[in-house]
Amino acid sequence: MSRGLFITLEGMDGAGKTTHLEWLRERLATTGMALTVTREPGGTALGETLREWMLHGGEPRQPDTEALLMFAARNEHIVRVIRPALEAGRCVLCDRFTDATYAYQSGGSGMLWARIAELEHWVQGDLHPDLTLYFDLAPEIGRARSRSAREPDRFEREQTAFFERVRAAYLRRAGEHPRRIRIIDASRSIEEIRKELEGIVQTIQSAKGSG
Ligand code: TMP
């Protein structure tokens, strides 16, 4: 049986990931593909609870603790949501996944890269996204864009140097997985980015048609 497509979206804060995800969701729906849209942290009751802790919990924590909790939630998410959807032939669109753990807990917070690789292997086995769209943006531009009325979360309160390291880690992942991770220059206009996304949707459609 043909497995559905697993697509993840990653991005620097302020890079417009959420806006682009909404557009992709609507655009992919027009192709007649059955979609499951989900997110991390989140996607299950445990994931949503941990999201609250991750973004708004005030207590100090170790990056290893964060990564362990992210992977515990990821295990539930994979077993209950992602694998069943893929096995049913659905396209899973996930707002952040394991690349974010490398970027934030290792790149940003200094956890050992190899430890995350161990957790990734343990929890995911052979499950990896087919395609990851990484919206790349210089931190100072992202911060200026996302400065909004709402209270910044724990990550948004970090300094620019933290986000420089997050970005470097995303780019390292992209270098290690050049076929899976597509770097999208998010400093361009929405129209230009949409044109690129449209091209990606058409490639997905023709791959599906010929598969
Ligand atoms: P967002 O979904 O609004 O981008 O917020 C999620 C935040 O959680 C973001 O700042 C990155 C962070 N995060 C991690 O630190 N590690 C992870 O493994 C994931 C999935 C997210």
Side-chain angles (χ1 to χ4, degrees), residues 10-11 13 17-18 39-41 51 54-55 66 70 74 95-102 104-105 150 153-156 163 170:
E10 300 282 353
D13 301 64
K17 171 173 62 68
T18 309
R39 68 175 180 179
E40 290 203 356
R51 180 182 187 87
M54 197 67 177
L55 299 189
E66 289 188 343
M70 286 300 98
R74 187 161 294 141
D95 187 348
R96 293 199 195 275
F97 195 63
T98 299
D99 296 312
T101 318
Y102 281 96
Y104 286 80
Q105 276 66 53
R150 101 185 139 74
D153 66 36
R154 174 175 115 54
F155 289 96
E156 290 162 347
F163 291 105
Y170 269 129

